Amino acid sequence: MKKMFRKLIGITLVTVFAITSCSQPDNITNVTNVTNIFYKDAEEESVNFITEGLPVYLLSNDVSNVMYVRFYDGDHFVPYVSVRYFLETAANFSIKKTSYSDGKYKYLNQYMGKDFPLVVDVNADTITCSEWSGFIEKTSEDYIEHNAIVDKFLRKIKTFTGQNSQTFDLSAYGFKIYGGIDDAYVPLCILNQLFASCDYCQFVYNGEGIYFHNDASFRYDNYTNSSWFINEDGSVKDRPAELIELSYNMLCFTHDYFYGAPGYYGFADNGNGYADQEIVAAADKLKFDDLLKTYDEETRTLLKSTSYFEYLEGFMRLIFYTYGDVHASFEPFHYGKLWTDEQAEEFSKFFNDVRSIKYKKYMDVRDIIHEKRLAAGKEKKSEDGSKTSPVEIELLPNGKTAVIRFDEFNFDDKAWENYYNQKILTANPNPDPTEEELKNGKVAVPNDTMGLFYRAFYNILNNPDYANVKNVIIDVTCNGGGVVITCQKILCYLTGRGDLVDYDIHTGAMIREYVTGDLNLDGKIDDADKEFYKRLTDVVYINDDGEPQSDGRKLHFAVLTSFLSFSCGNILPNYCAQAGIPIIGERSGGGSCLVGKTCSVDGLPYSYSVNMRTSDYKGANIESGAPITKELTYDQFYDDAVLQSVMDELFVEDALFKD
């Protein structure tokens, strides 16, 4: 997404389609022409269209650029865009080749040396990709640019197996595809959902302009000034019938083709934050409209309301109750102008009441656990008291157990870029160089989650204060997730590999990443990293003669989890459990799907669980949490004596260093 955003800022948006059928607006200037592609056998399916240059807002309230679109048959609610233009300019694909035959436009995307075809059929109103997962992976060039630093510390080999062809039937959702002499034309909202949302960014039309959204969630002051929303006197309009239908149909399309079915719906909750899987399985078989008719008619009614306020309530109910899995979320942002202060209070109350049991439990458990962690001295408050953070590395009183605590899988890409670009990289570096070393160009290991784990293990292997450590507890009791590559790097330290398996429930694709990591931070991924892992599983130190020598210790790992251990905080213990590492505490809270970020047709940014679901090695869902080896109460989570006793109980066969 960063590359795409830079590209949009740096160029003037132009079309690659012919404009001979109509004239451009006179007030659009500074448009650079590009070479159009014409197919001699293709014809304009309809000449009843106009081309308009729409203002584009790129995270600014001022016009940043222009995008040319087509409106067909007098319908100004659905802008159509040239497919290749959108793929290459807005979605950052690199299309290797295009062709046309009998109403079918074919596009070839190249990823890691392999061609992935996309076929747009104007006669059937369908978009088909035989290997969808590979097509949306973008280009090998893009892959290298986005991961130049990641490649320094993770080596990934990705495989796709069992993938079925994916066909998106636009006609089933009230949308049409038009053919032209130069390209196929598809609704902007469809292209946005299929391709731009893969990068957590999207382009939304509000009746007058096109607005770019990304994860930064910039708030546009002028979004609701459109005639879709506001009358000339400033009063709020009723929702146009065309917009109601368009918006609902797009929600249906998004759910039916992209929802990840994570294993939870608010209406299926057993009362404990986990869902009845029989109800979930039955609901997963239904298309979106039938699902709402069967299980949540109230949400369906609100989403179809002529009132913007009721529509927003319906959207909130869909996200926080119907889906209700904590990954799903949204904020109305610029829609706040559409209601009064009284309605804002009503909206806030509605939010508190409508949340799923899982959402409510997550918030309740969060408050309880943080209070207990703070009372136990395992949590620190900022000077102003507004933020808390865990005591990250702690040696328990008897010196045999170390605890690594972290509340987020974060990744400081700039700091790691700085680290790996230093002139001399050495294996097993001191994470915190001396002032003299810093003056001579040495760079400290970053203070993010990856750096935290290296520091902890560096101390265990080298610091005399940690000489008796044989147990390491990974505490993710307050961890709500974060960056997947960070999770994979930690798995490399704990299990020797950072492999993950994603399952696409719509195409049947099993996508496995075989991952090894730079554990000794020398900028290479080689046998020396395997030796570093062995040093953790059979602790080795270098004696005075410079020779490796075992001190007889074998580190025992356990992961401490709670209901708050969500997303990557759920993935880590699940994969540790598969490697034989005990899980203690409370069952983790799920969050198995990757998070998709998109926008409704009328501009509501929202997140939801997408079709790529992280699974175990056999493809089974991990939404129900990691299997618990030893249950603990919240009072026991941060009790030093209890934790040490549990580790002695779990690894009773190891008699070394017994008191």
Side-chain angles (χ1 to χ4, degrees), residues 403-464:
V403 181
I404 305 175
R405 296 187 188 89
F406 61 110
D407 293 351
E408 180 184 5
F409 292 79
N410 57 32
F411 169 54
D412 189 339
D413 57 340
K414 296 299 183 184
W416 280 108
E417 182 176 5
N418 189 37
Y419 173 82
Y420 277 113
N421 285 336
Q422 63 183 300
K423 291 182 179 180
I424 301 176
L425 278 173
T426 58
N428 312 310
N430 184 332
D432 299 298
T434 64
E435 288 188 15
E436 187 65 26
E437 288 174 323
L438 291 171
K439 289 179 181 178
N440 292 327
K442 197 68 178 172
V443 178
V445 171
N447 287 311
D448 62 358
T449 307
M450 294 186 197
L452 167 66
F453 271 77
Y454 179 79
R455 279 184 170 80
F457 291 131
Y458 181 88
N459 280 324
I460 290 171
L461 296 174
N462 299 283
N463 189 333

Side-chain angles (χ1 to χ4, degrees), residues 223-270:
Y223 188 86
T224 51
N225 293 345
S226 162
S227 58
W228 278 9
F229 308 106
I230 302 293
N231 290 307
E232 290 184 2
D233 63 2
S235 60
V236 179
K237 280 187 171 182
D238 285 341
R239 297 176 71 211
E242 299 91 338
L243 189 58
I244 293 173
E245 180 180 12
L246 180 64
S247 176
Y248 188 78
N249 287 348
M250 195 63 213
L251 287 174
C252 291
F253 180 89
T254 301
H255 176 94
D256 294 350
Y257 284 120
F258 290 99
Y259 192 59
Y264 184 87
Y265 293 103
F267 53 75
D269 199 295
N270 279 321

